[in-house]
Amino acid sequence: MRARTYSMIGAGLFALSAIAFLIEFFGEVTGIWLLGFDWFIHELTELATLCGFIIGGAFIFHSQRLLRRRNDEVEQLLRAAQGQFGAMVQAQFSSWGLSEAEQEIAYLTMKGFTVAEISDIRKTSQGTVKSQNNAIYRKAGVKSRTQLLGALIDELLIEPSTGSTPETAEKLS
């Protein structure tokens, strides 16, 4: 069963147990019994309520363990994807023939830093950053920061239906 199913069953058992508990509690406190059963039935109801709380708690605990395990798997896959994305970006920068300094500026540009911020981070003049940005755009065959990001994404995307890049899919059609 899925974690959601375990959670729903556990919550349902908790709700039923809580209702039974409140009915019993109301009767014991006020002396007004909503259900006119003898003592043995009331004891069985209290025992069933206790079992419901315990079983419901076990279901909820199990669902939390499943969710935690799934979350760990997703985080591990995300870290792997981030590493692969970084490697793919690095490979694309290399295929464009960017120098190490240009690659660093391209990364910072991709992250959305301004020319002034990049110059502060790299401790260089804004003119140097602008010059390197122009070299990056020229080598990538684009004219702006937006086009650079678009070109990079376009190069890295794989068509879901064919498993090929957009350029390959375009050539096939």
Side-chain angles (χ1 to χ4, degrees):
M1 277 193 265
R2 295 175 44 206
R4 181 177 170 92
T5 305
Y6 281 109
S7 293
M8 297 299 285
I9 291 170
L13 286 171
F14 256 84
L16 288 174
S17 297
I19 290 169
F21 175 79
L22 288 175
I23 290 171
E24 284 293 314
F25 183 73
F26 179 78
E28 289 179 13
V29 170
T30 64
I32 302 171
W33 298 96
L34 298 177
L35 304 173
F37 298 122
D38 65 357
W39 174 86
F40 181 72
I41 299 297
H42 289 290
E43 292 300 317
L44 282 179
T45 304
E46 288 178 4
L47 184 60
T49 300
L50 176 63
C51 289
F53 280 130
I54 292 170
I55 294 169
F59 271 95
I60 291 173
F61 176 77
H62 185 67
S63 74
Q64 287 303 103
R65 286 185 57 217
L66 290 174
L67 289 172
R68 230 179 274 123
R69 186 178 309 137
R70 178 66 183 139
N71 188 46
D72 291 344
E73 290 171 3
V74 168
E75 284 180 359
Q76 185 178 8
L77 290 172
L78 179 60
R79 282 191 297 275
Q82 287 171 333
Q84 288 176 347
F85 180 77
M88 291 170 67
V89 168
Q90 182 68 36
Q92 187 59 47
F93 285 169
S94 295
S95 76
W96 286 338
L98 301 184
S99 69
E100 193 173 312
E102 290 169 341
Q103 288 181 22
E104 185 178 349
I105 288 178
Y107 272 122
L108 294 172
T109 300
M110 280 177 30
K111 289 182 176 186
F113 289 102
T114 65
V115 170
E117 291 169 332
I118 294 171
S119 69
D120 287 343
I121 292 169
R122 298 199 70 240
K123 305 207 183 322
T124 60
S125 72
Q126 289 186 23
T128 302
V129 173
K130 287 178 185 177
S131 172
Q132 288 175 316
N133 263 335
N134 287 330
I136 292 166
Y137 299 156
R138 187 181 67 255
K139 290 177 181 181
V142 297
K143 294 183 174 136
S144 69
R145 170 188 298 246
T146 306
Q147 287 180 349
L148 175 68
L149 196 52
L152 186 63
I153 290 171
D154 193 43
E155 291 293 327
L156 298 179
L157 283 180
I158 295 176
E159 292 292 317
S161 60
T162 63
S164 62
T165 63
E167 289 177 345
T168 307
E170 196 174 288
K171 289 176 187 174
L172 293 175
S173 55

